Amino acid sequence: MISKKTKYAINALVHLAKRKDEGPIIIAEIAKAENIPQKFLEAILLDLKKAGILASKKGKAGGYYLLKAPEDVNMADVMRLFDGPIALLPCVTYMYYERCEECKDEETCGIRDVFLEVRNKTVSMLKKSTLLEIIRREGKQKRPENED
Amino acid sequence: MISKKTKYAINALVHLAKRKDEGPIIIAEIAKAENIPQKFLEAILLDLKKAGILASKKGKAGGYYLLKAPEDVNMADVMRLFDGPIALLPCVTYMYYERCEECKDEETCGIRDVFLEVRNKTVSMLKKSTLLEIIRREGKQKRPENED
DNA sequence: TCTTTACTCTACTAAATAGATAGACTTAAT
DNA sequence: ATTAAGTCTATCTATTTAGTAGAGTAAAGA
């Protein structure tokens, strides 16, 4: 599961993407419209700004706005920013590699090999999941392809 | 990331799968061979037993052994057992559905639609990742298909 | 320049979860 | 009866998650 922080970030980003031509939008509006505790949202938006995804304007007529195009903001980046690596094992992360403490031989580890493949395919899916894609799908859901 | 508990469970299962014709194996041996704290492992093996994946024999010449065939034990089941749902959002879980608290309209939610697809594909991958597959891959790693 | 508006920064807190550890108890084989 | 091994209950500490409080700073406009 992703954290609430990440989910709130996605909600806020979708909100901003849908109004990207309306100039800066204040935190209070996003918080109210998306049902997010305002103080919590403040910290989240600040992080998104530091990451170069959003920009802000202070004072009167201020607020936050998208810096990147909606097709250039993907779920992999947002999830990494708040929840850390997408990989399921520390030994298959891209940026935060760490050996599994109990591991005997990483080079021949079959578990690692299987989870490396899972990571690669997951990252690839999440990179295709952009704000644009999310907005395009709103209200016109596809039928699920796999069921289990 | 999966929890250490889940990772230890996988390590123990692989150990038991590789010696599946040698009769019951004692906890102490698995703990030592796989570098897992013994007391922690005891609880894990008990859970795997309750889940019908392992069986145990008490007393002298006792220990744990695989109840299912290695090709019938997959990572999706093990992860669900210890870490809960595989889905990244509560509203797209299969067994543990829960509405996202802040959600305005689940039926038309583009975020949900995107994460439902991610869940379906992830579960499908993890179901193919069986103990047999892990053991087959040991020492003969494939080259990664995607890099990012 | 004063006031208002809105973002920014630092600190704190409560509850839940992760990752264990300790010790007594039960069961089965010899 | 003894010994080997799994089982059960309780407890513990550190970290993370989710959220709150309040003071500080910057920009617009009257």
Side-chain angles (χ1 to χ4, degrees), chain A residues 1-2 4 7-8 10-11 14 33-35 75 79 85 87-90 93-94 100-102 104 106-111 113-115 117-127 129 133-134 137-139 141-142 144-148, chain B residues 1-2 4 7-8 10-11 14 33-35 75 79 85 87-90 93-94 100-102 104 106-111 113-115 117-127 129 133-134 137-139 141-142 144-148:
Chain A
M1 293 274 182
I2 63 175
K4 289 233 180 186
K7 178 70 199 308
Y8 290 158
I10 297 169
N11 288 138
V14 169
E34 304 295 333
N35 297 315
M75 295 305 103
M79 286 172 57
L88 294 170
L89 292 179
T93 58
Y94 180 50
C100 293
E101 279 179 82
E102 81 285 2
K104 285 172 294 181
E106 193 171 271
E107 289 310 306
T108 65
C109 181
I111 300 172
D113 195 49
V114 158
F115 279 89
E117 190 180 332
V118 171
R119 188 208 81 104
N120 285 334
K121 291 187 172 158
T122 305
V123 169
S124 156
M125 273 190 281
L126 291 172
K127 287 212 167 180
S129 305
E133 179 63 20
I134 288 170
R137 292 204 193 187
E138 251 179 42
Q141 263 73 340
K142 293 190 201 169
E145 290 146 37
N146 304 327
E147 198 47 64
D148 31 33
Chain B
M1 292 274 182
I2 63 176
K4 289 230 178 189
K7 179 69 200 307
Y8 290 158
I10 298 168
N11 287 138
V14 169
E34 303 295 333
N35 297 315
M75 295 305 103
M79 285 172 58
L88 294 170
L89 292 180
T93 57
Y94 180 50
C100 294
E101 279 179 81
E102 82 285 2
K104 286 172 296 183
E106 193 171 272
E107 289 309 306
T108 65
C109 182
I111 300 172
D113 194 49
V114 158
F115 278 91
E117 191 180 332
V118 170
R119 188 208 81 104
N120 284 335
K121 291 187 172 157
T122 303
V123 169
S124 157
M125 274 190 281
L126 291 172
K127 288 213 168 180
S129 304
E133 179 62 19
I134 287 171
R137 292 206 193 186
E138 252 180 40
Q141 263 72 341
K142 294 189 202 171
E145 291 146 38
N146 304 328
E147 197 46 65
D148 32 31

Side-chain angles (χ1 to χ4, degrees), chain A residues 24-26 49 55-65:
Chain A
I25 296 176
I26 64 174
K49 180 187 170 181
S56 66
K57 192 163 177 272
K58 282 184 174 179
K60 243 176 197 168
Y64 278 95
Y65 53 96

Side-chain angles (χ1 to χ4, degrees), chain A residues 9-22:
Chain A
I10 297 169
N11 288 138
L13 286 167
V14 169
H15 187 97
L16 289 171
K18 286 200 268 188
R19 301 164 166 263
K20 75 187 179 71
D21 301 318
E22 301 178 26

Side-chain angles (χ1 to χ4, degrees), chain B residues 27 46 49 56 63-64:
Chain B
I27 298 175
L46 218 42
K49 180 186 170 183
S56 66
Y64 277 94

Side-chain angles (χ1 to χ4, degrees), chain B residues 18 21-22 30-31 36 43 83 94 113 124 126 135 143-144:
Chain B
K18 287 201 268 189
D21 301 317
E22 300 178 26
I30 305 171
I36 304 170
D83 289 345
Y94 180 50
D113 194 49
S124 157
L126 291 172
I135 292 167
R143 289 297 91 221

